Amino acid sequence: KQWYQRRVAITAGSPIINDIDEGAMHEAAKLDEYLVPIRLDIDLEGHRLRDTLTWNKNEKNLTPVQFSEILVDDLEIPGAFVPVIANIIQTQVDGYDADTKALVENSDHRVIIKLNVHVGNTSLVDQFEWDISCPQNSPEEFARNLCQELGLGGEFISAISYSIRGQLGWHIKTMTFTEAPLKAIETPLRTGNLDKWAPNIENLTDQEMEKKIRDQDRNARRMRRLANMN
């Protein structure tokens, strides 16, 4: 089987982008951005596609089908992938709800975010606290800064922001059932268990990476089941 795991670049030279009315683009720019984490894991016609991305739920000028056509053309994989990718994107967009409007700004709604991100044979493991109620907190900006500090490639940015948004959605959906909030912050500096709050980067063999990915997929399915039960 052939594996594909890389990003598609949608440029101004794309026929789809060139066909969009300039006025429609200006109107779309006025809408709030509502990014949804999307995960693709498709095995079809001897090809396997794995990818993560974020999709703007308020996108008006690019449909999941159009995006899928561009991605399939970019990766040079069979056209049968187009409806499958489009359906996965639409299903995950429709099922995602991370509305934080009910949270009081400046209140303390911290949750623990755990990263277990793999690109190629490089693995990043990290954890940190994230305040859901702060509208200035941006997973994309955080991911860019983290990758710059750690010297990681651009594909980690998309993977990290996907992971953060996915976990935030789960935390928001299950917040009503949370038994105990995190302790109030008394000092900005941690004094204990420092090792588990620091990023760890490993270069793994193909076998080690496959095992990590299997374990991660199993955990992701468990979290989705718990969220659906709640």
Side-chain angles (χ1 to χ4, degrees):
K1 293 182 179 180
Q2 298 186 42
W3 285 61
Y4 299 89
Q5 188 179 20
R6 64 189 178 101
R7 301 290 171 265
V8 57
I10 302 177
T11 67
S14 168
I16 293 176
I17 299 301
N18 289 339
D19 287 343
I20 298 175
D21 179 72
E22 186 174 346
M25 295 181 69
H26 284 295
E27 287 300 315
K30 298 176 183 178
L31 299 174
D32 292 334
E33 192 174 56
Y34 190 139
L35 296 180
V36 177
I38 303 295
R39 179 181 181 84
L40 302 176
D41 192 346
I42 306 168
D43 196 341
L44 186 66
E45 295 188 5
H47 302 262
R48 186 169 188 184
L49 170 64
R50 294 179 62 96
D51 203 357
T52 57
L53 56 112
T54 52
W55 184 272
N56 184 8
K57 197 169 186 176
N58 292 329
E59 174 61 52
K60 302 298 183 185
N61 294 321
L62 185 68
T63 68
V65 171
Q66 291 172 327
F67 172 83
S68 302
E69 290 172 346
I70 296 173
L71 180 61
V72 166
D73 183 65
D74 181 74
L75 296 177
E76 298 181 351
I77 54 180
F81 271 87
V82 172
V84 178
I85 295 172
N87 182 63
I88 290 174
I89 293 175
Q90 192 63 59
T91 300
Q92 295 185 38
V93 168
D94 292 341
Y96 185 77
D97 183 14
D99 190 358
T100 60
K101 292 179 181 178
L103 301 179
V104 179
E105 191 173 342
N106 298 323
S107 60
D108 188 356
H109 284 90
R110 287 173 296 123
V111 297
I112 295 178
I113 300 296
K114 297 185 178 183
L115 296 181
N116 196 355
V117 178
H118 322 296
V119 174
N121 284 64
T122 303
S123 173
L124 167 66
V125 177
D126 196 5
Q127 71 172 5
F128 44 86
E129 293 181 5
W130 189 282
D131 187 357
I132 297 177
S133 64
C134 179
Q136 283 76 39
N137 284 343
S138 166
E140 287 70 35
E141 183 177 354
F142 176 88
R144 284 192 294 270
N145 290 335
L146 180 63
C147 289
Q148 184 177 14
E149 292 175 0
L150 299 179
L152 296 173
E155 289 200 350
F156 269 97
I157 297 176
S158 175
I160 292 171
S161 60
Y162 161 84
S163 179
I164 294 174
R165 287 195 176 275
Q167 292 179 66
L168 291 179
W170 185 84
H171 281 296
I172 292 169
K173 193 171 184 178
T174 60
M175 186 171 296
T176 307
F177 307 95
T178 302
E179 295 181 357
L182 296 178
K183 293 182 179 179
I185 298 176
E186 298 178 354
T187 172
L189 299 177
R190 294 191 183 278
T191 57
N193 297 323
L194 299 181
D195 289 343
K196 72 175 186 178
W197 296 98
N200 181 43
I201 300 175
E202 292 182 294
N203 290 316
L204 306 175
T205 65
D206 292 341
Q207 292 75 18
E208 291 171 331
M209 183 60 69
E210 287 179 9
K211 182 179 184 302
K212 263 185 170 287
I213 292 175
R214 285 198 303 270
D215 293 342
Q216 186 177 9
D217 289 345
R218 189 159 47 243
N219 184 58
R221 290 193 296 269
R222 181 183 65 84
M223 290 183 65
R224 284 197 294 271
R225 286 196 300 270
L226 288 175
N228 291 333
M229 289 173 60
N230 291 330

